[in-house]
Each structure stands twice: as structure tokens, then as C-alpha cells.
Amino acid sequence: MLKKLCPRFRTRYLSELTPDFFLERDIKGLLIDLDNTLVDWGEYSIPPEMIKWVTKMKMAEIKLCIISNALENRVKIIGEKLGIPWVSRAIKPRKSPFRRALAILGTKPSETAAVGDQLFTDVWGGNRMKLYTIWTTPLSTRELWFTKAVRHLEKIVLKKLKKKGIICE
Ligand SMILES: [Mg+2]
């Protein structure tokens, strides 16, 4: 169980990952979480550095797809603004939304990364699908009350992963 919650890579923000990071790892597609990964929680506006980052990825021909548990309306607006496809109401960590996103991008699990700020949805779901999982720091402290509760569990898991030497700071 613990291993399934362990990300392959940990970084602060999505915008810190360069096209080279992915190309060196033969990653051709990214499934990106929306809330607190690409935009602040519940937001419609996209931070300028994220717009720049998406442009950079597109220029490097890395395919992107938003995969979010949020409702269609907001995910669609952001997907259209960025010009990338999306899967909404994903109910991560279920496998089916990840499968749908892979079908949209046309990439294999071995050449696809899942990026997100939550261990129990983004990382677990990505690991279940054998994707390269990347865990990011939430963009804002604002989030769903349920997520706030889950953060305590994340801390416990992180402590255990560190203790076992599976993850280092
Ligand atoms: Mg999130």
C-alpha cells in the first residue's frame, strides 16, 4: 500500500519542470491535475507562469491533458483557454479517467507522467496505472474541507515513506 502512494518524483511546482526533464525520461505525455497544481483551488484564472510553461511544453511537443475531479464547466474553460484537452469529474484514483486521458493523448503508460498535489488521488491513481508520478506542493492553502482532512493522512504517509528511506527530503 505504502509503495502505491509513493511518487517517482517530488517537486515544488509544475513550472519548475523543464521539457528536458521529461524528454530525458522518454515521457511524451502529461496528465495534469487542475486544482492547486495548474491553478489555485476553485480558480478560473491561470497564473502567467503556468501559461508560459504550457507554451514551452507544447513547443517541445510534449502532449498535455488536464485530469480533474472538478466539474466540467470550469475544467472546460481552463482547457480551452490553454488549448489542451481535459477529462473532468475524473474521480481519481479510479483508473478509468486515466485510461480516457491516455486515449486522448495516444501515449502508453510507460511514456506518460501524472502530476498532482495529492497523494491519495493523483499519485495513487497514477501509480495504479503505472505512470511516472510527480507530486507537487499545493499552489494555495485554500482547498476543499475534505482535502484538508486528507492532508493529515498525507503527512503520516510521508513520514513513513521517509522512515523507510523510500523518499528523501
Ligand atoms: Mg489538486
Side-chain angles (χ1 to χ4, degrees):
M1 180 64 196
L2 205 53
K3 271 210 165 152
K4 288 203 170 143
L5 290 169
C6 183
R8 290 279 295 277
F9 194 81
R10 201 175 171 213
T11 188
R12 255 187 346 177
Y13 303 120
L14 189 60
S15 50
E16 288 176 351
L17 299 169
T18 63
D20 280 346
F21 173 89
F22 297 108
L23 298 173
E24 280 161 14
R25 289 163 177 79
D26 283 325
I27 294 168
K28 299 183 173 76
L30 306 183
L31 313 186
I32 307 164
D33 170 54
L34 182 66
D35 284 306
N36 270 339
T37 300
L38 198 57
V39 300
D40 282 6
W41 183 77
E43 266 297 331
Y44 284 87
S45 66
I46 308 159
E49 67 270 21
M50 286 305 175
I51 297 175
K52 260 194 237 161
W53 181 85
V54 166
T55 309
K56 255 198 308 191
M57 291 296 141
K58 282 184 183 173
M59 280 169 69
E61 291 182 3
I62 294 167
K63 295 176 179 177
L64 309 175
C65 182
I66 298 170
I67 177 165
S68 172
N69 285 355
L71 299 180
E72 170 73 8
N73 173 48
R74 192 164 55 87
V75 186
K76 180 174 186 260
I77 288 171
I78 292 165
E80 283 178 346
K81 268 191 200 166
L82 290 172
I84 57 178
W86 64 89
V87 172
S88 61
R89 302 182 74 168
I91 324 185
K92 291 174 277 184
R94 265 177 32 180
K95 285 182 180 177
S96 56
F98 287 95
R99 280 200 199 105
R100 236 185 311 152
L102 285 170
I104 291 171
L105 293 189
T107 56
K108 292 179 215 143
S110 59
E111 53 189 25
T112 309
V115 195
D117 67 297
Q118 287 195 57
L119 281 187
F120 288 93
T121 54
D122 308 311
V123 173
W124 189 16
N127 282 342
R128 289 183 76 197
M129 288 297 293
K130 301 198 168 24
L131 309 177
Y132 186 95
T133 44
I134 301 170
W135 189 29
T136 55
T137 306
L139 287 182
S140 73
T141 50
R142 237 170 9 111
E143 49 197 4
L144 212 63
W145 66 267
F146 179 73
T147 310
K148 280 193 177 160
V150 171
R151 293 289 181 203
H152 292 289
L153 288 176
E154 275 188 350
K155 277 188 193 150
I156 294 168
V157 170
L158 183 61
K159 228 177 170 178
K160 283 190 177 168
L161 288 171
K162 277 187 190 164
K163 205 172 163 190
K164 289 203 168 191
I166 299 174
I167 204 171
C168 341
E169 198 56 59

